[in-house]
Amino acid sequence: MTAAVVLAAGVGRRLAGVADVPKWLLPVRDDAPSCPAESQLQALSSSETIESVYVVVGTQVAPIQRAVDRWAADVSVELVENPHATTRNNWYSLLLGLDRVLEQGHGEVAVLNSDVYAGAAWIADSLTRCRRSEGAALVIDPAKGKTDEAMKVSVHGDRIERIGKVGVDVPAGEYVGLSWWSAASATEYVGHLRGYLDDPACSDNWYEHAIDDHLRAGGDYRLVAPPDSTWVEIDDAADLEVARRLPV
């Protein structure tokens, strides 16, 4: 069975003044899905393979706890607190989440960035496509990935070779923020994340830096295309407006 990790410890500095809530709970629309948390939890709770969800949280624990409590009858959700959310980037949140998943003996793990907003069916479909891979998989939108801020990938066939905002000269698309690891691949990947613990220069790394390290070490990551491009990563007020216009 599969577990899921949601990275919801970010402080959302570029959304300061828009809403005083965690990015995962950011109000997008009045009807469903009203925020990223609602669409993601609806997708995860409807899955026949997701048995547990681990939400990594930072300084705003209480509102997230209230939000997940409403889903208690549909899916098991546990909060994992990140005491270094303001001083270490999301690589540390993912390390905490994956440590918990592996400790509990789950066979596979899906990872979701908390600022990914799309319809629940879109998220569920994307994750189902990931599970057809054997090692690890990243959801990559081939229609995007042209901007400096995009987390881009290069590929050979369906195998990912590099990932990063820089250093990818011929991007095959943009990483959506949804991913999947087998238990064996997750164990290997955690070793790369753990290597950042004693290096202060790595404190501001993204977890994608460790994916790139894993790729360089021979990690097998497959490209998985989403159903379409009706998704957005909400980083700022402009992204929020895009999210509000999505046909979800």
Side-chain angles (χ1 to χ4, degrees):
M1 297 296 284
T2 306
V5 173
V6 179
L7 303 177
V11 296
R13 293 183 179 90
R14 284 184 282 178
L15 285 163
V18 175
D20 187 25
V21 295
K23 290 176 74 175
W24 201 41
L25 305 181
L26 186 69
V28 176
R29 52 198 293 165
D30 294 331
D31 58 340
S34 62
C35 63
E38 183 170 334
S39 60
Q40 292 183 14
L41 288 173
Q42 183 178 339
L44 296 173
S45 65
S46 67
S47 169
E48 295 181 356
T49 59
I50 300 290
E51 59 182 349
S52 299
V53 179
Y54 300 92
V55 182
V56 185
V57 297
T59 57
Q60 295 178 294
V61 178
I64 290 180
Q65 184 66 67
R66 290 193 294 270
V68 302
D69 282 347
R70 295 195 292 271
W71 292 86
D74 302 303
V75 64
S76 170
V77 183
E78 177 184 324
L79 301 192
V80 179
E81 294 193 35
N82 178 354
H84 300 293
T86 60
T87 57
R88 293 175 178 171
N89 211 336
N90 63 9
W91 66 269
Y92 188 67
S93 286
L94 186 49
L95 175 59
L96 293 176
L98 291 180
D99 274 347
R100 184 64 177 148
V101 166
L102 295 174
E103 174 186 293
Q104 294 299 307
H106 295 287
E108 304 171 345
V109 56
V111 174
L112 301 87
N113 291 359
S114 69
D115 54 6
V116 175
Y117 182 78
W122 187 98
I123 294 171
D125 189 354
S126 295
L127 293 178
T128 296
R129 296 177 185 208
C130 285
R131 297 191 68 249
R132 298 169 188 160
S133 304
E134 293 183 0
L138 306 179
V139 180
I140 306 296
D141 188 342
K144 298 186 179 183
K146 313 303 181 186
T147 68
D148 290 342
E149 278 297 302
M151 185 63 70
K152 300 172 279 288
V153 300
S154 61
V155 302
H156 181 74
D158 69 342
R159 191 178 189 279
I160 296 172
E161 295 185 322
R162 294 291 308 279
I163 183 170
K165 291 189 176 183
V166 297
V168 179
D169 297 329
V170 184
E174 180 176 359
Y175 174 48
V176 166
L178 303 178
S179 47
W180 174 91
W181 278 265
S182 68
S185 185
T187 300
E188 291 179 2
Y189 175 62
V190 162
H192 293 282
L193 290 170
R194 204 176 300 284
Y196 296 163
L197 287 171
D198 297 323
D199 188 350
C202 295
S203 63
D204 203 35
N205 279 6
W206 297 296
Y207 72 81
E208 291 90 348
H209 283 99
I211 292 177
D212 200 53
D213 293 342
H214 195 191
L215 286 168
R216 290 170 182 265
D220 184 13
Y221 286 76
R222 300 293 167 162
L223 179 151
V224 171
D228 52 43
S229 295
T230 56
W231 67 279
V232 64
E233 179 184 65
I234 306 176
D235 282 326
D236 55 30
D239 295 333
L240 181 56
E241 288 306 311
V242 172
R244 287 171 172 162
R245 295 193 298 270
L246 285 180
V248 300

